Amino acid sequence: MKAADRRRLRRARMSALGLSPALGSPAAPASALEVVHHLGALQAQDYQSGVWSLGVRSGLTLAEVEEAVLRREIVRTWPMRGTLHWVAAEDARWMTRLLAGRVLGSIGARYRQLGLTEREVATAGRLFEEHLHEPMSRPDVAALLARAGIDASGQRAYHLVGHHCMTGLLCQGPLIGKQPSFVLIDAWVPLSRNPTREEGLALVAERYVRGHGPVTEGDLANWVGGTLTLAREALGQLGDRIVKEEVDGQTWLTHVDAPAPSGAPDAVHLLPQWDELLLGYRSRDVTLPDEHTARVVPGRNMVFQPTVVVDGEVAGIWKRRAANGATMVEVTPLTRPTARARRGIEASGAAYGRFLGHDVDVRITGED
């Protein structure tokens, strides 16, 4: 792909993803619900990364994001691909019903490895129905299972609660201390949308294209954990709301209402681990140069590092260290940063500090 085409695609994606420009700012923040509705869902495997994924797009603070969870506007659950996401609370039921079944049908081998039986899965479900009318912390859920004679060691408890989140019985509630909690979705989210299958597919496809485009059919199939046939069925519901463009022999899809990219070409972002910028697509070639893949995904094992993004392209990695109430962000550039990029990194670190509610010390390796 020509460099100019690649640059144009990634700038369009940055705009669609609510990053350049952001959907909100500290002066006029977007709500967490607006961000989730815009993108459809956001990766949230790691809690601290997941809340920053909302914060960097909205201008909200960590406390404000967590208030949205307490107000039951957004929830963290397993709607697709067996992966934790932020979704709108009103969408959690139908999204899991529509998309999670493919994963449930494919994890029998993992359950056999763990020694989980169908009887234990069913018994756990009955226990959850009886006891999780209020949020219960993960350790307390494990203790509940153990009291009923179910081995909750290792990954067994995690898979049992994950299974029943994917069936739509449970979702995550707010943190209890530093622990995630689980609660019956009927108790936590009493009201929901109830679209038909066709309406649900159309909603998923439209939100995905609007919040991630330009994308391919394969990108959508990968995002929902489905087949190309399912992706094409979903896209077929949208008619002329999708604009098609041929670039480098590939058909790219953009929402008809997608704004023209208007972010600064040299914009810098400190993005969290597993952000939609990288995980929201089947191929990451538009954003992540191949020569940097080994640094961003050591071992190519899907464990992504938090990234420094300059003009929509990964240009570094970073890590956070917290001690004695202070936070240090250590940035490792993958290419020599310009003076403007260094200033952008400092500004992004300050924005992260506003999100956390305290100052952040930014250190760029090789700058001393």
Side-chain angles (χ1 to χ4, degrees), residues 203-269:
L203 273 171
V204 168
E206 184 157 21
R207 289 176 178 175
Y208 175 73
V209 176
R210 182 188 60 206
H212 294 75
V215 297
T216 67
E217 292 177 338
D219 287 329
L220 174 58
N222 183 75
W223 194 70
V224 299
T227 62
L228 273 175
T229 299
L230 181 70
R232 287 166 180 163
E233 180 186 357
L235 291 165
Q237 310 286 329
L238 303 185
D240 60 5
R241 298 201 295 280
I242 297 296
V243 177
K244 297 182 179 181
E245 177 188 15
E246 295 290 327
V247 177
D248 197 35
Q250 175 68 62
T251 301
W252 298 88
L253 312 175
T254 305
H255 195 273
V256 67
D257 294 330
S262 59
D266 55 355
V268 178
H269 295 83

Side-chain angles (χ1 to χ4, degrees), residues 119-120 123-128 130-131 140-152 160:
R119 181 175 177 274
E120 287 176 311
T123 300
R126 290 193 294 272
L127 284 170
F128 297 155
E130 182 178 352
H131 293 281
D140 287 343
V141 170
L144 172 69
L145 293 169
R147 287 195 299 272
I150 297 175
D151 179 5
L160 286 170

Side-chain angles (χ1 to χ4, degrees), residues 95-222:
M95 286 187 73
T96 53
R97 185 173 66 241
L98 180 67
L99 301 173
R102 185 177 176 87
V103 174
L104 286 172
S106 67
I107 55 179
R110 178 57 178 152
Y111 285 6
R112 288 191 291 273
Q113 288 176 349
L114 294 170
L116 279 174
T117 65
E118 291 184 5
R119 181 175 177 274
E120 287 176 311
V121 172
T123 300
R126 290 193 294 272
L127 284 170
F128 297 155
E129 285 186 283
E130 182 178 352
H131 293 281
L132 268 63
H133 293 273
E134 296 290 338
M136 181 180 289
S137 72
R138 181 165 57 189
D140 287 343
V141 170
L144 172 69
L145 293 169
R147 287 195 299 272
I150 297 175
D151 179 5
S153 63
Q155 290 290 304
R156 288 168 59 91
Y158 173 86
H159 278 281
L160 286 170
V161 294
H163 178 100
H164 288 289
C165 282
M166 285 187 279
T167 65
L169 177 67
L170 304 178
C171 65
Q172 285 200 355
L175 291 184
I176 296 178
K178 294 185 178 180
Q179 291 290 335
S181 70
F182 300 90
V183 61
L184 289 171
I185 196 168
D186 284 347
W188 190 252
V189 187
L191 299 176
S192 290
R193 289 173 178 249
N194 188 28
T196 65
R197 179 180 182 280
E198 291 72 23
E199 291 168 340
L201 285 174
L203 273 171
V204 168
E206 184 157 21
R207 289 176 178 175
Y208 175 73
V209 176
R210 182 188 60 206
H212 294 75
V215 297
T216 67
E217 292 177 338
D219 287 329
L220 174 58
N222 183 75

